Amino acid sequence: MKAAVIVFPGSNCDRDLAVAFEQAGADVTMVWHKDTDLPEGIDIVGIPGGFSFGDYLRCGAIAANSPICRSVVKHAERGGYALGICNGFQVLTETGLLPGALMRNAGLKFICKQVGLTVATADSAFTAGYSAGDEVLIPVAHHDGNYNADADLLARLKGEDRVAFTYTDNPNGSAGDIAGILSDNRRVLGMMPHPERAVDERHGGTDGTAMFASLMDQLVSA
């Protein structure tokens, strides 16, 4: 599996994401936001957490208009895989690759802690390493992680089995307790919690490992 990790000014989880991909066996290339093209043969693009461009305009809005994101959109539109975590989830919504919006946490405070997630579907390359209904512990670290969607969108996401993860105890007010969603072709995942921070027992847990192992298995076998 060949993975690209996008780096923006203000990214602070890009190395963590690269390590998680590498531990799963992927060949990883770091790609600067001013580059216009992704490397040849990339299977999956990782858009990391952090505070791209300082979140000065709106979380992910400036990053979504960077030169490399035009290539990321083209990659996804032709069926390529993409994983956006935390700020990366915000970028994916800003590019239009995923629906909905991430707003300020309901409690108006930055949240940094481990949270419980329920795996809502195992029917994706990202979640095939789990079983639907599994509960996992994954860290969160965000100020604007409150997923907003109207009733019609929520019904569509649930009806199409596109909710990937839900919170067992909603920390931010997200509609439908949503922690992560899939694109309509199930090849793009955006999630607020950080699975790349849960791949080493020394860092507090390994519940994120199955995601990266699953991606390796699914993409290599494909």
Side-chain angles (χ1 to χ4, degrees):
M1 180 175 71
K2 292 186 177 181
V5 175
I6 310 301
V7 183
F8 302 102
S11 295
N12 63 16
C13 299
D14 46 333
R15 304 297 167 182
D16 308 66
L17 184 53
V19 168
F21 278 132
E22 287 169 351
Q23 283 187 187
D27 178 12
V28 182
T29 303
M30 309 301 283
V31 180
W32 186 234
H33 70 109
K34 285 189 176 181
D35 292 347
T36 55
D37 297 303
L38 293 169
E40 289 291 326
I42 290 296
D43 297 299
I44 185 167
V45 178
I47 306 174
F51 305 91
S52 59
F53 295 92
D55 289 342
Y56 287 129
L57 174 60
R58 188 175 62 248
C59 296
I62 300 176
N65 287 281
S66 63
I68 196 59
C69 274
R70 287 190 281 275
S71 290
V72 173
V73 170
K74 291 178 182 177
H75 167 82
E77 288 178 342
R78 62 175 175 262
Y81 287 82
L83 170 62
I85 299 169
C86 198
N87 190 232
F89 186 8
Q90 295 161 344
V91 172
L92 290 175
T93 62
E94 291 287 346
T95 60
L97 288 174
L98 290 175
L102 281 307
M103 309 294 287
R104 187 156 295 179
N105 295 341
L108 304 182
K109 292 182 178 179
F110 184 83
I111 300 168
C112 184
K113 62 180 182 180
Q114 281 209 352
V115 299
L117 301 181
T118 300
V119 179
T121 180
D123 184 19
S124 78
F126 305 94
T127 57
Y130 305 101
S131 295
D134 282 354
E135 292 190 6
V136 295
L137 286 175
I138 304 289
V140 296
H142 58 251
H143 189 265
D144 294 63
N146 182 352
Y147 182 72
N148 270 245
D150 61 25
D152 288 343
L153 175 55
L154 282 177
R156 180 157 57 89
L157 291 173
K158 292 176 181 178
E160 296 174 358
D161 193 34
R162 288 170 53 192
V163 177
F165 299 97
T166 58
Y167 296 108
T168 58
D169 184 11
N170 193 332
N172 53 32
S174 289
D177 298 326
I178 286 174
I181 61 169
L182 295 158
S183 61
D184 55 4
N185 70 356
R186 315 187 77 77
R187 295 190 173 198
V188 178
L189 170 66
M191 60 186 297
M192 286 309 297
H194 288 267
E196 81 285 8
R197 294 185 182 179
V199 296
D200 189 329
E201 194 64 55
R202 293 167 296 181
H203 295 166
T206 58
D207 283 357
T209 304
M211 176 179 294
F212 296 97
S214 172
L215 282 167
M216 173 61 74
D217 291 342
Q218 297 286 317
L219 270 63
V220 171
S221 63

